[in-house]
Amino acid sequence: MLSSNALAVISLKVATFNVSMEATNYVERGQAVSGNELFELLASGNNQQIKNIAAIIQRVRPDIILLNEFDYTPDPDKGVKAFIHNYLNIAQPGSESIDYPYFYVAPVNTGVDSGGDLDRDGKKTGVKGDAFGFGFYPGHFGMVLLSRYPIDKTAVRTFQHFLWKDMPDNLMVKTVDAEGQPWYLPETQKIMRLSSKSHWDIPVKIEGQTVHILASHPTPPVFDGPEDRNGKRNHDEVRFWVDYLGSKYDPAYIYDDNGHKGGFKGQRFVLLGDMNSSLPEGDSHKGAIASLLTHPKVNGRAIPHSQGGQQHTPDNPLASTHTAGWRMRADYVLPSEQGLKVIDSGIFWPVTDDPDYDLIKDRNSSSDHRLVWLDLEIK
């Protein structure tokens, strides 16, 4: 909101939340999915798990929030608009309703048929391990950005189709099988996309200023084999942002889905998303996340904490920084050094005797991730 003092300080709360709003979350383990499960529940307005997610967002009340794992549909009336109208616009118990008049949603690589046998199991299924990003159907594990401020959609840059081979010194070429041969065959290397979902640069207009939201959701660095194809891809998906903001590599190699070349061209940004990578914990390659957190344009010093996370794993000194029930800092809100000042930060993780604990008490309450937020001032 805009303050009334002479210097007109603009305050902004920005958040990221992996909401697990994807079809397999709403069926029994192993049950087949159609890909329409989420949209049916959004239309009903009656799903308690989604109500709890809405309640969490209403409690924190971010001005801008990225939702990871929100299934994509090209019809926003079935997807993001239904969530806004049937859940967020309804006051959940203990909360006030909230509205997001602006949103951004676009296709992702999950569940999109690659035409190849990417997982090397001898079959070309077109889905799961043979899709450009792991998914049971196109749009699985998608992303949505919600905003209380206008989005300059004409200036959005997306990188869904950027090819992994076009990243200098990429780790795809170092992904080999047990015989030391390339995991990805030459014909696969020619078509393999870097992003498992997509990478987005979304300019948001806030009281005459522009803040770019850099959004992504790199693949988990697990669920593979000794070749470590997911670990290497996670590294390079995270590294993409390092190069985009400026690194030892000339960002001229980067091209967006409209064919425009080059890296970041703005001033202020906030990088959001479930990066599936942590510097001190987890199975990811650490080089990329280390470079991102220490990038001269990134303020990586503001690390959100929660008492609930510490209570969840009391013997781990890093537990207060964890953003997921499986005990790691995976989700990030990283502002630019230039043009933004951090005022406060947090993770929505109530302790067990808090009345809000029921919103996150287990996987079925809302999500296995927690909402992470920063309060900022635009300078």
Side-chain angles (χ1 to χ4, degrees):
M1 62 181 176
L2 184 64
S3 72
S4 60
N5 62 32
L7 296 180
V9 173
I10 303 172
S11 300
L12 185 69
K13 177 171 281 188
V14 186
T16 192
F17 192 9
N18 182 325
V19 290
S20 300
M21 290 171 63
E22 49 85 19
T24 64
N25 184 46
Y26 305 114
V27 300
E28 296 296 325
R29 183 180 293 273
Q31 182 178 338
V33 293
S34 67
N36 289 315
E37 286 79 359
L38 171 64
F39 311 127
E40 294 168 359
L41 296 174
L42 291 178
S44 75
N46 290 324
N47 180 267
Q48 189 59 52
Q49 189 173 15
I50 300 176
K51 286 183 177 182
N52 288 348
I53 289 168
I56 292 169
I57 294 171
Q58 290 173 352
R59 298 286 206 277
V60 178
R61 310 193 74 76
D63 297 302
I64 300 171
I65 181 169
L66 176 69
L67 307 180
N68 286 132
E69 295 196 8
F70 188 110
D71 275 353
Y72 169 75
T73 171
D75 183 356
D77 289 330
K78 290 172 53 179
V80 58
K81 285 186 177 181
F83 179 52
I84 294 169
H85 297 326
N86 297 337
Y87 288 91
L88 294 175
N89 288 169
I90 306 299
Q92 305 299 330
S95 296
E96 296 180 4
S97 64
I98 193 168
D99 190 32
Y100 291 98
Y102 308 99
F103 62 85
Y104 182 78
V105 62
V108 291
N109 285 324
T110 35
V112 175
D113 187 357
S114 70
D117 179 18
L118 302 188
D119 58 10
R120 300 273 297 270
D121 67 351
K123 306 172 187 175
K124 296 181 180 180
T125 65
V127 294
K128 297 191 282 188
D130 289 335
F132 280 120
F134 185 91
F136 287 77
Y137 46 85
H140 199 185
F141 307 113
M143 307 190 293
V144 171
L145 186 77
L146 305 178
S147 176
R148 296 175 64 188
Y149 294 98
I151 294 169
D152 184 1
K153 292 187 178 181
T154 63
V156 170
R157 300 184 73 190
T158 65
F159 302 90
Q160 179 193 6
H161 298 99
F162 178 85
L163 297 177
W164 195 356
K165 70 180 180 62
D166 292 333
M167 171 180 276
D169 294 334
N170 66 77
L171 296 187
M172 179 175 66
V173 299
K174 299 180 181 179
T175 306
V176 297
D177 60 21
E179 284 72 45
Q181 298 301 308
W183 180 269
Y184 297 105
L185 300 177
E187 57 268 28
T188 302
Q189 293 188 28
K190 292 178 182 179
I191 63 168
M192 188 65 185
R193 300 174 185 178
L194 171 64
S195 184
S196 54
K197 285 83 178 177
S198 192
H199 287 65
W200 298 341
D201 178 345
I202 307 169
V204 181
K205 300 294 186 180
I206 304 167
E207 305 292 350
Q209 306 292 337
T210 299
V211 176
H212 291 253
I213 301 300
L214 307 182
S216 63
H217 182 193
T219 190
V222 289
F223 309 120
D224 47 20
E227 83 290 341
D228 192 28
R229 66 187 188 277
N230 290 335
K232 293 180 172 68
R233 190 179 189 184
N234 172 275
H235 174 278
D236 283 358
E237 286 195 72
V238 175
R239 194 198 118 187
F240 175 88
W241 290 127
V242 178
D243 293 357
Y244 189 66
L245 294 172
S247 69
K248 66 180 181 179
Y249 299 99
D250 185 346
Y253 83 80
I254 296 171
Y255 51 87
D256 62 32
D257 292 331
N258 288 320
H260 300 138
K261 293 188 175 183
F264 183 63
K265 298 175 174 63
Q267 177 189 6
R268 301 175 185 87
F269 64 83
V270 184
L271 190 148
L272 299 176
D274 174 3
M275 306 302 283
N276 276 310
S277 185
S278 168
L279 188 56
E281 298 180 288
D283 299 308
S284 69
H285 295 253
K286 307 306 181 185
I289 193 67
S291 295
L292 182 62
L293 293 173
T294 60
H295 194 287
K297 292 183 180 178
V298 174
N299 179 354
R301 300 181 302 279
I303 302 176
H305 293 261
S306 76
Q307 292 183 351
Q310 188 61 64
Q311 184 186 62
H312 183 62
T313 316
D315 58 345
N316 186 331
L318 299 172
S320 69
T321 69
H322 289 171
T323 67
W326 38 271
R327 298 176 171 85
M328 195 182 85
R329 183 188 183 195
D331 308 87
Y332 293 83
V333 181
L334 298 174
S336 57
E337 283 280 13
Q338 186 176 9
L340 295 172
K341 178 182 179 182
V342 178
I343 303 302
D344 199 3
S345 65
I347 302 167
F348 186 86
W349 198 327
V351 294
T352 53
D353 60 356
D354 188 310
D356 282 344
Y357 179 72
D358 284 346
L359 296 175
I360 57 91
K361 67 179 180 180
D362 57 34
R363 177 68 177 77
N364 294 323
S365 297
S366 50
S367 172
D368 56 341
H369 290 250
R370 306 291 176 254
L371 186 153
V372 183
W373 56 270
L374 254 62
D375 277 335
L376 304 169
E377 283 185 358
I378 298 178
K379 300 187 289 184

